[in-house]
Amino acid sequence: TSCIKLTTGNSLICPAASARRLFPSLLSPSPPFPAPFSCPAAPLWGSLHMLGGGALLTPLFSAHRMQHWARRLEQEIDGVMRIFGGVQQLREIYKDNRNLFEVQENEPQKLVEKVAGDIESLLDRKVQGPEGRLADAAENFQKAHRWQDNIKVRTTVPSPDDPESEDVERGSKVSTLRLDFVEDSNFKNKVNYSYTAVQIPTDIYKGSTVILNELNWTEALENVFIENRRQDPTLLWQVFGSATGVTRYYPATPWRAPKKIDLYDVRRRPWYIQGASSPKDMVIIVDVSGSVSGLTLKLMKTSVCEMLDTLSDDDYVNVASFNEKAQPVSCFTHLVQANVRNKKVFKEAVQGMVAKGTTGYKAGFEYAFDQLQNSNITRANCNKMIMMFTDGGEDRVQDVFEKYNWPNRTVRVFTFSVGQHNYDVTPLQWMACANKGYYFEIPSIGAIRINTQEYLDVLGRPMVLAGKEAKQVQWTNVYEDALGLGLVVTGTLPVFNLTQDGPGEKKVRFPLPPGKAPNLCPQLGANGYVFAIDLNGYVLLHPNLKPQVNHQLPRACDSGLPGRRIRRSMIDGNKGHKQIRTLVKSLDERYVDEVVRNYTWVPIRSTNYSLGLVLPPYSTFYLQANLSDQILQVKCKWPAPCLHFEFLLPSSFESEGHVFIAPREYCKDLNASDNNTEFLKNFIELMEKVTPDSKQCNNFLLHNLILDTGITQQLVERVWRDQDLNTYSLLAVFAATDGGITRVFPNKAAEDWTENPEPFNASFYRRSLDNHGYIFKPPHQDALLRPLELENDTVGILVSTAVELSLGGRTLRPAVVGVKLDLEAWAEKFKVLASNRTHQDQPQKQCGPSSHCEMDCEVNNEDLLCVLIDDGGFLVLSNQNHQWDQVGRFFSEVDANLMLALYNNSFYTRKESYDYQAACAPQPPGNLGAAPRGVFVVRRGLRLSAAGAGELARVYGWGLGALGPADSAEAEGSPEARESSCVMKQTQYYFGSVNASYNAIIDCGNCSRLFHAQRLTNTNLLFVVAEKPLCSQCEAGRLLQKETHSDGPEQCELVQRPRYRRGPHICFDYNATEDTSDCGRGASFPPSLGVLVSLQLLLLLGLPPRPQPQVPAHASRRL
């Protein structure tokens, strides 16, 4: 029996198929080896010999030869980048123009403290200004109003699309008011500044006496709205919401009614949930005894779901069913945070409840009290309550209350009699009244919505009785504004009802927008940014947050904070600074880089939020242009010294290369455009009208742009213009800078330039800054799309590298340069460099099994697969012509067997995460939370945006889009109008621990393959040479890289290790003077709090509101 042995002395039994493949002339058709054989990986390939016969056999190739090819590839790449990239030349250009800029230092602690302080000051001014006036006015108007029993509607706004467009009172004289609306770019909507408009929920009779009286006294707020806008033109929507469901908002605009039923109700907006009462620990127990069946059980299931929607992220909850014994309905065995994902688990579990057995109130209540007394878990630690849903019973379980709740009565008990029956409800009433709760009846589905939210009025009593002590700003989590301003967070400030018919409460609201702020301050660079989180650890502000989908899933701050210590310190309101190593996703979410980041954080005083700043070490310093008046002239000649705008004119592109400028807010009057050519034209036209030192322009942005215009033009003059790109098969050379210039040479190459004109938003730019060496970026291909079109040599591969400057001992990276390789030409060059030829003109030498030379990637491409794969696992180059159109695809889609082997041998490591911001097909509408009756809301909007109206925008040049976890108004109305949020599982691959040359055998029976892999120095490439596969039965283990739909991480496991959080520091759950005699007698529950008013100030810093479908107002909703 023969075998194969390595000359290094390591024994190796090779599969017969591989032996026949390599040495067909020396092996018989039937393998002489016993089967099956395992083939362990060998540390090094050497010459192979057939023992016994003594014949020398030709090896596939040697490890030395592989390393030689790798060095040739490295040298070729380095040579091209040195000649055409111009890194060294650009360094010299910066040094030659040293008099035109200064090197400034970022001081993270001072910067983040100043920004946090400015936010706090801005909020304080708004709280003391329009919000106070509106709250005071609402109090006075409410107090002065005299109730009218026979009040009539006077005016309506008709809608031809509303089938119910008719007089509120038939036969009454109602005048019709037709408004003219004008388009307003600030609102992205048609508005009328002379009137307010009113929206009334569809399930409320618009002609009721209560509604008409409310419309009567709130009409006086119109003048207050108008005056507020006159004093502060930056205000956007001002909205008043009522406990009866009436919403009055200014300026008037057509209500964005959905195509289906309009379920919008101001009382069910997310901020009501957090603003109406202090945080809650709630246990819901549901009677599932045999008497509960059919319609009654369905009503209970729906009621529980509605009850869950009255809870916010500040609350904790558990749900249990009971008959003779009690048990949780879900996998949650203790109180869990009432976030969207946990509530979804409850809602699904509730649907599985089945009625059987006998009623045992004692079992249900003992379970609930045990849950509330468990102090070993995270919980709200404020209001505690038990909500019991039953069809009735005789047991009062007084012994249970005596044991667990009396005499202090720290747990409120709310009882719900569900369904139509003849049971005695006296025991249920007694339970509620004896435990500071309330008794409700839900005889039909129409009573569910209101009766599952009115318990909040009872919880609000201590807040009302606290008086001035309760007049503190409380901050909500993020939610989506119903009128289209995006995602906001809200501060609520209570203002009390002054009428004599009962104590009540109002609230003043003013939201701070969470947002997308890739660069709070321009000097932070491409990879520096600010972020903010709330007490729950949810990200409110982060460059990776997306505003374009209907967010319903909260995101923990781990997406922006790699470290529990940092997260905890921020939630606790501490200051801090820490440098860490972390993994960062690329903008296109295809790559992961291991980077170093400096985190600095401070609390935003008077809020529940914490602000952080992230800065890479290379962004510690930045350039600030220091240009003379001569240089700043629009018309001048180079060289002077003169950096001027002529090199931005299209007339200069043919000789100087095409210039893309970052679409930044250089000046207030600069018209934005998604078309960079048009934006450049607008920029040039504006510069001919104003001077770069104009007060309406951001001098930092504008002067740095001018500086980089001249810097990159000199690169053309010194390096690019005299080079023949075709000699090295280059489609283009380019440079991009922190100042916002991207120069592509020659001009014709700009036709195929698809990178983002904003360097800070270009993946190649940000990755080059974070990595040393040459970063290859193949064209992006999706497995579902057709292959690349290789026509006219337009397909290219970007290769880029950062330009690192060292000036006076200070290091920074102000630019990135690179080349664009011609794919086809470099694929041919790749084969030559990985061949036995010493140069391209040398004739090819055929090597085969009977010859005494080693195989190579050029001649033996039918036997050998040679590829370059980047650090994300995407194909860059191949010696197989048929794979050229697959360049840019994840390599597992090209050769699943080989990619799996690379992963299993630690060449690649995998990172899996969940994207809670993905957009999916529309989902059925859901209930988004509730608010108590007896609540008014007044909201108003302020936009600090691109128009320059915002104070912070003027100071820092920052732009924030509203982003973050949110409840959406669209979900209440028109899910078909746009995509809704969902969870997608993301997988990225990056280089593992193997750094050196390595070879192995892919053991797969008769389909085993030899391969060798080696990292290319100073690049993000892996060079792999392997046998071409004989068969495909081993390709079952295919690695996936593309996003897949997911339900997210297992919630039942996550709640066992909850993330750290803190509840609001304010808790109003007890007042000795509270009158608990009103505890329900089966009738409709009268609002015990009277009136609640809220003011909302929308601080949308640079938020571009998402356009919404315009639907005329319905007469039944607009008066």
Side-chain angles (χ1 to χ4, degrees):
T1 300
S2 300
C3 64
I4 298 175
K5 182 180 180 181
L6 292 176
T7 58
T8 57
N10 294 322
S11 297
L12 177 66
I13 302 175
C14 227
S18 295
R20 289 200 307 275
R21 177 83 169 169
L22 292 174
F23 321 115
S25 61
L26 298 177
L27 292 179
S28 60
S30 300
F33 320 123
F37 283 91
S38 62
C39 197
L44 182 66
W45 286 355
S47 299
L48 299 176
H49 296 267
M50 181 69 69
L51 301 184
L56 179 66
L57 302 183
T58 304
L60 185 64
F61 59 86
S62 67
H64 174 76
R65 178 64 62 183
M66 172 81 177
Q67 294 166 3
H68 172 66
W69 295 341
R71 284 194 298 270
R72 291 174 66 177
L73 289 167
E74 293 165 356
Q75 292 168 1
E76 184 71 11
I77 294 168
D78 184 67
V80 169
M81 290 298 291
R82 286 181 181 274
I83 296 172
F84 292 94
V87 173
Q88 186 58 40
Q89 294 90 331
L90 192 54
R91 289 196 188 105
E92 296 301 324
I93 292 172
Y94 274 108
K95 292 179 180 179
D96 292 345
N97 292 277
R98 185 65 181 83
N99 62 314
L100 300 180
F101 60 84
E102 298 175 353
V103 179
Q104 302 289 350
E105 182 178 1
N106 280 314
E107 298 182 75
Q109 191 68 39
K110 290 183 179 179
L111 184 58
V112 73
E113 285 180 354
K114 186 176 190 313
V115 173
D118 288 343
I119 294 175
E120 180 189 1
S121 298
L122 177 62
L123 294 178
D124 286 343
R125 289 196 299 273
K126 298 304 177 182
V127 171
Q128 302 302 325
E131 293 70 37
R133 290 194 298 271
L134 186 54
D136 291 341
E139 282 184 348
N140 294 332
F141 295 151
Q142 166 78 21
K143 183 178 181 180
H145 173 67
R146 309 194 88 181
W147 182 269
Q148 301 177 47
D149 290 325
N150 299 317
I151 191 171
K152 303 293 182 183
V153 171
R154 293 173 295 173
T155 306
T156 65
V157 177
S159 170
D161 299 326
D162 188 356
E164 299 180 4
S165 183
E166 58 187 29
D167 292 346
V168 175
E169 296 289 340
R170 294 188 179 275
S172 63
K173 294 183 179 180
V174 179
S175 62
T176 299
L177 176 64
R178 297 184 180 274
L179 302 182
D180 294 325
F181 299 103
V182 295
E183 191 72 33
D184 190 306
S185 59
N186 291 323
F187 291 88
K188 302 296 183 182
N189 212 334
K190 291 183 177 181
V191 298
N192 183 298
Y193 282 111
S194 299
Y195 294 92
T196 58
V198 171
Q199 189 270 355
I200 301 176
T202 52
D203 58 349
I204 294 178
Y205 174 49
K206 62 196 175 196
S208 71
T209 303
V210 173
I211 295 296
L212 297 183
N213 271 276
E214 200 150 282
L215 292 175
N216 182 282
W217 77 262
T218 60
E219 187 177 6
L221 291 174
E222 189 169 277
N223 293 331
V224 183
F225 289 148
I226 295 173
E227 177 61 18
N228 283 339
R229 182 175 180 273
R230 187 191 67 80
Q231 295 188 25
D232 189 351
T234 62
L235 290 174
L236 289 181
W237 301 116
Q238 301 178 64
V239 183
F240 171 91
S242 156
T244 59
V246 172
T247 304
R248 184 181 292 274
Y249 57 95
Y250 173 86
T253 187
W255 182 255
R256 299 180 301 115
K259 296 178 182 178
K260 297 180 180 179
I261 299 175
D262 185 3
L263 296 178
Y264 177 86
D265 188 330
V266 69
R267 299 166 300 179
R268 303 190 71 82
R269 297 303 296 140
W271 56 269
Y272 264 103
I273 301 173
Q274 291 175 275
S277 64
S278 295
K280 302 175 283 293
D281 287 325
M282 176 187 291
V283 179
I284 302 173
I285 54 176
V286 185
D287 182 0
V288 291
S289 60
S291 63
V292 178
S293 60
L295 179 60
T296 301
L297 183 59
K298 291 181 180 179
L299 290 175
M300 286 187 180
K301 293 178 180 180
T302 305
S303 298
V304 172
C305 293
E306 291 284 343
M307 180 68 70
L308 290 169
D309 284 330
T310 67
L311 303 177
S312 74
D313 292 327
D314 289 337
D315 303 322
Y316 280 74
V317 65
N318 200 357
V319 182
S321 61
F322 69 90
N323 38 42
E324 299 93 342
K325 63 179 182 178
Q327 60 183 6
V329 299
S330 69
C331 58
F332 302 145
T333 58
H334 55 73
L335 292 172
V336 297
Q337 188 180 16
N339 58 42
V340 173
R341 294 189 57 78
N342 287 341
K343 288 191 286 188
K344 180 182 177 183
V345 173
F346 282 128
K347 291 178 181 180
E348 292 174 350
V350 162
Q351 301 308 315
M353 293 190 305
V354 178
K356 60 181 179 180
T358 59
T359 303
Y361 287 160
K362 184 174 183 178
F365 276 108
E366 285 184 339
Y367 177 89
F369 279 114
D370 287 340
Q371 290 277 298
L372 293 173
Q373 290 183 354
N374 184 358
S375 59
N376 296 324
I377 60 170
T378 305
R379 55 183 185 175
N381 286 319
C382 191
N383 284 296
K384 298 179 179 62
M385 69 206 67
I386 298 172
M387 325 297 281
M388 183 180 71
F389 293 88
T390 181
D391 62 344
E394 297 179 358
D395 190 2
R396 299 192 178 197
V397 291
Q398 181 173 339
D399 58 328
V400 175
F401 298 135
E402 290 175 348
K403 176 181 177 181
Y404 290 96
N405 204 37
W406 294 353
N408 295 326
R409 291 173 169 80
T410 56
V411 177
R412 296 181 187 266
V413 175
F414 296 85
T415 55
F416 298 81
S417 175
V418 183
Q420 297 182 357
H421 49 74
N422 296 319
Y423 297 128
D424 181 13
V425 299
T426 302
L428 299 181
Q429 294 175 343
W430 180 89
M431 291 181 194
C433 295
N435 292 279
K436 299 171 61 175
Y438 210 92
Y439 164 74
F440 300 93
E441 290 183 357
I442 303 179
S444 63
I445 194 168
I448 292 177
R449 193 173 176 88
I450 187 62
N451 284 317
T452 53
Q453 71 182 30
E454 287 187 336
Y455 77 93
L456 292 170
D457 282 341
V458 177
L459 299 187
R461 291 171 179 169
M463 184 180 294
V464 175
L465 296 170
K468 292 183 178 180
E469 183 184 351
K471 289 193 174 185
Q472 302 182 45
V473 176
Q474 299 181 54
W475 290 90
T476 69
N477 298 325
V478 185
Y479 68 95
E480 187 165 359
D481 176 62
L483 290 174
L485 290 179
L487 304 179
V488 295
V489 293
T490 296
T492 64
L493 180 65
V495 184
F496 299 118
N497 176 21
L498 304 179
T499 57
Q500 296 181 353
D501 56 353
E505 179 190 356
K506 309 172 183 178
K507 283 186 179 289
V508 177
R509 318 172 46 233
F510 42 98
L512 167 74
K516 183 173 186 175
N519 294 284
L520 178 61
C521 304
Q523 65 264 28
L524 298 185
N527 290 317
Y529 61 91
V530 296
F531 65 95
I533 66 172
D534 63 12
L535 292 179
N536 285 300
Y538 294 152
V539 175
L540 309 175
L541 178 75
H542 195 282
N544 291 338
L545 294 179
K546 305 171 186 176
Q548 67 268 26
V549 297
N550 168 10
H551 295 302
Q552 295 182 23
L553 300 178
R555 286 163 294 285
C557 71
D558 295 46
S559 62
L561 289 178
R564 291 179 178 268
R565 292 183 180 179
I566 294 177
R567 182 179 184 274
R568 182 167 189 142
S569 179
M570 293 185 70
I571 292 174
D572 286 340
N574 300 323
K575 295 182 180 180
H577 176 85
K578 187 176 180 62
Q579 183 178 91
I580 61 174
R581 296 192 67 86
T582 183
L583 295 177
V584 174
K585 290 182 187 178
S586 63
L587 278 176
D588 54 16
E589 298 181 334
R590 287 159 59 87
Y591 300 92
V592 169
D593 294 309
E594 186 176 5
V595 301
V596 175
R597 292 288 189 264
N598 294 313
Y599 281 78
T600 308
W601 60 93
V602 297
I604 302 176
R605 292 187 296 270
S606 302
T607 74
N608 295 332
Y609 307 132
S610 183
L611 186 72
L613 184 147
V614 180
L615 205 63
Y618 54 78
S619 292
T620 301
F621 301 97
Y622 63 95
L623 299 184
Q624 181 169 353
N626 183 21
L627 307 181
S628 65
D629 293 338
Q630 181 184 12
I631 294 174
L632 292 173
Q633 295 299 315
V634 176
K635 301 292 183 181
C636 61
K637 299 296 181 184
W638 183 279
C642 176
L643 298 170
H644 57 81
F645 294 95
E646 290 185 5
F647 294 130
L648 291 176
L649 296 175
S651 59
S652 70
F653 288 176
E654 199 59 41
S655 61
E656 311 300 332
H658 193 100
V659 174
F660 298 91
I661 67 171
R664 300 174 183 174
E665 191 181 333
Y666 301 101
C667 299
K668 295 177 186 177
D669 295 337
L670 178 59
N671 294 325
S673 174
D674 293 332
N675 185 299
N676 199 259
T677 302
E678 182 179 346
F679 181 74
L680 179 60
K681 178 176 176 291
N682 296 341
F683 177 80
I684 296 295
E685 290 177 352
L686 182 62
M687 289 300 99
E688 293 175 347
K689 300 176 183 178
V690 302
T691 65
D693 280 333
S694 171
K695 291 183 178 180
Q696 68 163 295
C697 296
N698 185 313
N699 289 342
F700 178 87
L701 292 179
L702 190 54
H703 290 195
N704 276 33
L705 182 77
I706 299 171
L707 172 69
D708 289 352
T709 300
I711 293 289
T712 56
Q713 189 277 333
Q714 290 185 56
L715 185 63
V716 176
E717 192 173 77
R718 296 190 189 185
V719 182
W720 296 345
R721 192 180 293 158
D722 297 331
Q723 298 289 348
D724 182 9
L725 302 185
N726 293 328
T727 302
Y728 286 84
S729 305
L730 303 182
L731 298 176
V733 288
F734 60 89
T737 69
D738 277 357
I741 291 292
T742 301
R743 191 179 292 273
V744 180
F745 186 88
N747 183 40
K748 65 177 182 180
E751 298 175 3
D752 301 313
W753 187 258
T754 58
E755 302 302 317
N756 197 308
E758 170 56 81
F760 290 178
N761 291 334
S763 183
F764 82 88
Y765 192 85
R766 295 175 66 167
R767 293 204 70 215
S768 296
L769 293 176
D770 272 334
N771 294 276
H772 292 283
Y774 308 123
I775 304 302
F776 281 70
K777 179 179 179 290
H780 185 188
Q781 277 210 84
D782 191 289
L784 301 178
L785 302 178
R786 64 179 182 176
L788 289 171
E789 297 290 345
L790 297 176
E791 297 179 2
N792 303 322
D793 297 332
T794 57
V795 178
I797 300 170
L798 290 189
V799 188
S800 57
T801 187
V803 178
E804 186 165 285
L805 290 181
S806 182
L807 302 170
R810 293 170 292 185
T811 302
L812 63 159
R813 299 176 186 174
V816 169
V817 296
V819 301
K820 190 174 184 179
L821 309 180
D822 183 323
L823 172 59
E824 286 191 84
W826 271 79
E828 292 292 347
K829 182 178 294 190
F830 168 60
K831 289 192 288 186
V832 174
L833 292 171
S835 73
N836 295 324
R837 287 199 280 171
T838 57
H839 55 83
Q840 192 166 357
D841 297 331
Q842 179 183 353
Q844 297 179 356
K845 183 178 180 181
Q846 185 72 34
C847 291
S850 60
S851 61
H852 293 281
C853 63
E854 296 177 354
M855 294 183 180
D856 64 30
C857 297
E858 181 184 25
V859 177
N860 303 99
N861 60 355
E862 293 185 1
D863 299 300
L864 295 181
L865 170 66
C866 304
V867 292
L868 289 178
I869 312 172
D870 70 13
D871 55 333
F874 298 96
L875 179 63
V876 176
L877 288 174
S878 172
N879 72 332
Q880 306 295 314
N881 291 16
H882 69 277
Q883 291 181 353
W884 290 356
D885 62 356
Q886 299 183 66
V887 166
R889 287 190 174 178
F890 185 57
F891 192 60
S892 185
E893 299 165 7
V894 181
D895 192 327
N897 183 248
L898 182 53
M899 184 63 196
L900 182 60
L902 293 172
Y903 174 73
N904 288 337
N905 285 278
S906 300
F907 283 99
Y908 286 95
T909 300
R910 179 167 59 193
K911 180 182 187 298
E912 295 179 334
S913 59
Y914 294 96
D915 178 12
Y916 295 98
Q917 304 177 91
C920 296
Q923 298 295 322
N927 298 320
L928 298 177
R933 295 182 63 87
V935 177
F936 292 103
V937 183
V938 182
R939 304 194 296 117
R940 70 148 81 84
L942 163 70
R943 183 176 183 178
L944 309 180
S945 61
E951 300 166 46
L952 296 180
R954 286 196 296 269
V955 175
Y956 294 107
W958 64 343
L960 304 185
L963 301 148
D967 258 305
S968 169
E970 283 299 322
E972 294 180 343
S974 179
E976 72 277 7
R978 58 186 172 135
E979 296 175 315
S980 60
S981 65
C982 59
V983 183
M984 299 293 286
K985 185 178 182 180
Q986 289 187 341
T987 305
Q988 288 88 18
Y989 292 81
Y990 58 101
F991 281 152
S993 58
V994 177
N995 238 345
S997 179
Y998 187 84
N999 62 274
I1001 293 179
I1002 306 172
D1003 185 14
C1004 190
N1006 288 334
C1007 292
S1008 297
R1009 301 168 64 188
L1010 304 173
F1011 77 90
H1012 190 112
Q1014 179 169 336
R1015 294 263 294 273
L1016 296 189
T1017 304
N1018 208 36
T1019 73
N1020 66 326
L1021 297 179
L1022 180 69
F1023 179 33
V1024 183
V1025 180
E1027 280 189 283
K1028 293 184 71 174
L1030 284 173
C1031 47
S1032 59
Q1033 72 245 31
C1034 291
E1035 293 188 3
R1038 181 183 297 270
L1039 297 177
L1040 297 178
Q1041 188 273 334
K1042 64 180 181 180
E1043 283 189 328
T1044 56
H1045 190 274
S1046 172
D1047 291 330
E1050 178 54 53
Q1051 288 300 113
C1052 299
E1053 297 178 4
L1054 288 181
V1055 296
Q1056 300 304 320
R1057 50 183 189 279
R1059 294 184 176 97
Y1060 178 73
R1061 66 172 295 277
R1062 284 179 58 205
H1065 64 281
I1066 302 175
C1067 176
F1068 297 100
D1069 62 340
Y1070 171 78
N1071 191 290
T1073 63
E1074 177 184 349
D1075 181 7
T1076 61
S1077 61
D1078 181 9
C1079 53
R1081 292 295 182 268
S1084 178
F1085 180 52
S1088 62
L1089 296 183
V1091 183
L1092 273 164
V1093 174
S1094 292
L1095 303 175
Q1096 177 183 14
L1097 166 63
L1098 301 177
L1099 305 181
L1100 279 108
L1101 310 180
L1103 166 64
R1106 181 166 59 251
Q1108 300 291 347
Q1110 300 300 317
V1111 182
H1114 288 263
S1116 61
R1117 304 181 183 90
R1118 166 100 30 134
L1119 294 94

